Amino acid sequence: MTSLLTIKDLVVDFKTRAGNARVLNQISLELKSGEILGIVGESGCGKSMTALSVMGLVPSPPGKVSEGSILLEEEDLLQASNARMRQVRGGIISMIFQEPMTSLNPVFRVGDQIAECVLLHEDISKTDAWERAVEMLTKVGIPEPALRAKAYPHELSGGMRQRVMIAMALSCHPRVLIADEPTTALDVTVQAQIFDLLKDLQRETGTAIIMITHDMGAIAELADRVAVMYAGHIIESGLTKDILENPHHPYTRGLIACVPHLETDPTEVRPYLSEIKGVVPSLTELGKGCAFADRCPYKTPVCEERRPDIEPISEGHAVACHNVEYVVAV
């Protein structure tokens, strides 16, 4: 399977009053045609900033892409002109943002907003663009799509607004779809519907998807491969099945252990929910060692002296940990 999108050694810095914050540090990812890649981690780990970097939306100032490359096949998007990036955004790479109520314009009908995206990227009449908008609302499962297309965002529920965002993102048949926590603030029933919708659309269109989330359950349900991020670094990556069944990094283990499990035996005593103790360190105060060292139960002196490189431990499975053999053995 060929690589559609390749991020290599990406570094993004932000200037703050407290000093320079390196929000992404040597990030390398690969997205293949037709696959779903999950990016998981706590808030502030750099998931959304990775997506914004791909879209060319890093706010500057104070942000700056300092190093690396983002290749759409052979084209480096970091070297692309503003005009070219406007063609790429929405036409080739689309993004579903976290909060649909703030992403949709409250004073325009949702159908007009979808049609506008089509008009920007295709030589098409306004009538045909409107028909495309209604067609996309039909595809994402909104009832009475011709009527809903005339509605304003505040007239729709949270789940329907999120479906509108998905319809808008897919309206120009992009090759890459970035879904940045698309089920935030939605109830579990609607979450399941959105996940099913993404899987169905991916199968129908062949669009490659980057799924950004903090929910390991969502990763288990959707992703073919997963990258785990912490404090601007990728600390483990591999096939979803391998990561979930055989996690090697202490942070990955902690994320998986935090997921509650329903007990099938009613007489069995339920254990307390696990937690990852401590907090994510400030990006302006990261030392030369492992960013996870202060929270890690397996910490050794080398962890505070040198940051581990991410290295392969098996085919397609890579980990950044000095004590990976000891962690797995415990």
Side-chain angles (χ1 to χ4, degrees):
M1 194 180 292
T2 59
S3 296
L4 179 57
L5 186 70
T6 304
I7 303 173
K8 187 173 182 181
D9 299 329
L10 182 65
V11 175
V12 175
D13 292 309
F14 270 64
K15 290 183 178 180
T16 72
R17 292 181 180 179
N20 185 69
R22 180 148 288 185
V23 297
L24 295 180
N25 195 336
Q26 299 294 318
I27 296 297
S28 294
L29 290 170
E30 188 177 48
L31 178 68
K32 299 183 183 299
S33 299
E35 78 167 350
I36 300 178
L37 171 66
I39 302 179
V40 65
E42 291 175 272
S43 296
C45 70
K47 306 185 301 296
S48 295
M49 191 53 60
T50 301
L52 293 176
S53 300
V54 172
M55 299 294 288
L57 295 176
V58 174
S60 179
K64 176 186 177 183
V65 178
S66 304
E67 299 176 26
S69 60
I70 301 175
L71 300 178
L72 179 63
E73 293 184 328
E74 300 299 324
E75 180 184 8
D76 189 350
L77 297 181
L78 295 181
Q79 305 301 321
S81 65
N82 290 334
R84 173 55 178 162
M85 285 307 301
R86 284 194 292 271
Q87 294 176 341
V88 171
R89 285 192 293 265
I92 302 175
I93 304 176
S94 286
M95 185 168 175
I96 305 169
F97 293 91
Q98 287 189 32
E99 177 47 60
M101 197 59 206
T102 56
S103 299
L104 293 170
N105 193 318
V107 300
F108 291 102
R109 299 178 299 176
V110 297
D112 288 327
Q113 296 185 56
I114 299 173
E116 180 184 20
C117 183
V118 179
L119 289 169
L120 284 171
H121 294 285
E122 297 184 19
D123 185 11
I124 191 172
S125 69
K126 290 184 178 180
T127 300
D128 289 341
W130 180 267
E131 291 177 355
R132 175 80 65 83
V134 174
E135 176 191 348
M136 294 309 301
L137 292 178
T138 304
K139 283 189 175 182
V140 297
I142 289 183
E144 300 181 286
L147 178 63
R148 300 299 181 187
K150 299 177 182 179
Y152 292 88
H154 72 272
E155 297 178 294
L156 304 178
S157 68
M160 292 180 73
R161 288 195 295 264
Q162 195 61 279
R163 289 171 185 265
V164 170
M165 290 297 298
I166 295 173
M168 186 183 301
L170 294 173
S171 61
C172 294
H173 312 297
R175 300 177 65 189
V176 177
L177 174 64
I178 302 174
D180 188 2
E181 302 201 30
T183 58
T184 297
L186 301 180
D187 62 63
V188 291
T189 303
V190 178
Q191 285 185 28
Q193 292 172 353
I194 296 297
F195 290 155
D196 289 340
L197 173 62
L198 287 174
K199 286 190 290 186
D200 291 342
L201 292 173
Q202 193 268 343
R203 282 194 295 266
E204 291 174 11
T205 64
T207 300
I209 297 177
I210 297 177
M211 176 72 180
I212 296 174
T213 182
H214 60 270
D215 184 356
M216 291 299 290
I219 291 295
E221 184 173 347
L222 281 176
D224 301 308
R225 292 188 300 114
V226 60
V228 183
M229 292 190 68
Y230 184 80
H233 301 86
I234 293 179
I235 50 90
E236 188 162 6
S237 65
L239 295 174
T240 302
K241 186 174 185 293
D242 292 343
I243 298 294
L244 294 178
E245 294 182 355
N246 194 23
H248 281 61
H249 197 283
Y251 179 65
T252 310
R253 284 189 157 194
L255 287 179
I256 295 172
C258 289
V259 178
H261 298 278
L262 295 177
E263 305 297 338
T264 56
D265 184 356
T267 63
E268 186 173 345
V269 178
R270 294 185 180 182
Y272 289 105
L273 284 176
S274 298
E275 63 175 331
I276 303 174
K277 296 182 179 180
V279 295
V280 179
S282 170
L283 295 177
T284 60
E285 299 175 358
L286 292 179
K288 58 184 179 180
C290 175
F292 190 63
D294 289 341
R295 306 175 70 186
C296 182
Y298 310 104
K299 179 176 67 175
T300 58
V302 68
C303 299
E304 296 182 332
E305 297 169 1
R306 180 169 56 87
R307 181 172 67 86
D309 296 323
I310 187 163
E311 298 179 347
I313 57 171
S314 62
E315 185 177 357
H317 191 167
V319 183
C321 181
H322 291 301
N323 306 308
V324 61
E325 295 181 359
Y326 174 66
V327 172
V328 174
V330 172

